[in-house]
Amino acid sequence: MPDTRVAIVTGGSGGIGRAVAERLAADGMSVTVHYAGNAARADEVVKAITDQGGSAFAAQADVADAQQVETLFTETERQFGGVDVVVNTAGIMILKPLAEFDVDDFDRMHRTNVRGTFLVSQQAVRRLRPGGALVNFSTSVVRLAPPTYAAYAATKGAVEAMTLILAKELRGRDVTVNAVAPGPTATPLYLQGKDEETVAQAAKAPPLERLGQPADVAETVAFLAGPARWINGQVIYSNGGVA
């Protein structure tokens, strides 16, 4: 393995993505902080990392655009010399009963969550160095199946299928492929549009009786990205025991 490992974190400018980027940097990795549109937030993450003595830079790309994703990886290799870890946190969530769901919203969510994961994973497996790790993001609602989550869970079910098959396709490469499936986590993406009662009920659902924090999920990612070389082709439920 190289002396300094290099990570790309898609959606690294906020929520879970930011926590992941900062955690991997704290573990000694150089980090590309990907963002879709908010350069200021990405720059904040880079500053937070460099202020702690880490190495990072921000890079914009539409994860559903093949050329832009390829450029994201090329720029990372130019900046840091290679790619060892790719974490796909970029995603969008729209909630509504299936019968009322707007097909354009479904297509938009599919474009980012499924096509985006596909394109980033494709570049990852072409470029990851031996000892590397690809970590995709699913969600615990694939298993929990709550109302209004059908369209969102469908996109993440596709991510799980890609992840499990891709792990087998990389036989002999010394690259692990796993997915993390968070439960209710206190991020803007999760909290948006939810009233206090709904949030309180979600916090009581795990036996630990609290919402997850981005740092909780980042710890799981750091494990898969670093020491967990014998965990491969798995979906890890990082949700405090929600069932």
Side-chain angles (χ1 to χ4, degrees):
M1 288 189 186
D3 292 336
T4 300
R5 302 180 80 210
V6 177
I8 297 174
V9 180
T10 70
S13 64
I16 290 172
R18 175 171 184 160
V20 168
E22 293 183 1
R23 173 58 188 267
L24 296 183
D27 287 347
M29 297 189 196
S30 297
V31 180
T32 297
V33 179
H34 160 268
Y35 67 97
N38 195 324
R41 284 201 315 180
D43 288 341
E44 286 177 11
V45 181
V46 170
K47 185 177 187 303
I49 290 171
T50 55
D51 283 352
Q52 295 297 316
S55 178
F57 84 106
Q60 190 274 338
D62 175 358
V63 293
D65 183 296
Q67 185 58 56
Q68 291 186 35
V69 172
E70 184 175 358
T71 299
L72 172 68
F73 277 77
T74 299
E75 285 299 311
T76 299
E77 290 176 334
R78 183 175 296 127
Q79 190 87 7
F80 295 131
V83 182
D84 302 286
V85 173
V86 174
V87 184
N88 260 319
T89 76
I92 59 175
M93 180 171 68
I94 304 169
L95 304 180
K96 195 173 288 187
L98 188 147
E100 302 169 16
F101 211 91
D102 184 88
V103 71
D104 290 336
D105 283 341
F106 180 80
D107 288 344
R108 182 160 63 93
M109 197 159 51
H110 191 281
R111 185 178 185 276
T112 297
N113 297 1
V114 181
R115 179 185 169 96
T117 297
F118 176 87
L119 291 174
V120 173
S121 296
Q122 191 172 64
Q123 286 299 316
V125 301
R126 291 173 179 173
R127 303 192 190 220
L128 282 168
R129 296 184 285 202
L134 170 60
V135 182
N136 289 326
F137 262 70
S138 181
T139 171
S140 290
V141 301
V142 172
R143 182 171 67 180
L144 300 174
T148 75
Y149 280 85
Y152 176 67
T155 68
K156 294 302 188 175
V159 169
E160 289 191 10
M162 282 191 283
T163 299
L164 302 183
I165 293 169
L166 189 52
K168 296 178 179 179
E169 291 181 349
L170 292 186
R171 176 178 293 274
R173 284 276 307 276
D174 190 23
V175 170
T176 61
V177 185
N178 295 287
V180 174
T185 305
T187 65
L189 180 68
Y190 175 76
L191 296 173
Q192 181 180 2
K194 293 182 173 65
D195 58 34
E196 289 186 15
E197 182 180 357
T198 300
V199 173
Q201 288 177 343
K204 289 179 181 178
L208 299 176
E209 294 191 335
R210 67 173 176 86
L211 289 179
Q213 296 297 317
D216 296 320
V217 182
E219 184 174 12
T220 305
V221 173
F223 180 58
L224 295 173
R229 298 307 303 164
W230 200 233
I231 297 178
N232 191 26
Q234 304 296 318
V235 179
I236 307 298
Y237 286 86
S238 181
N239 65 15
V242 175

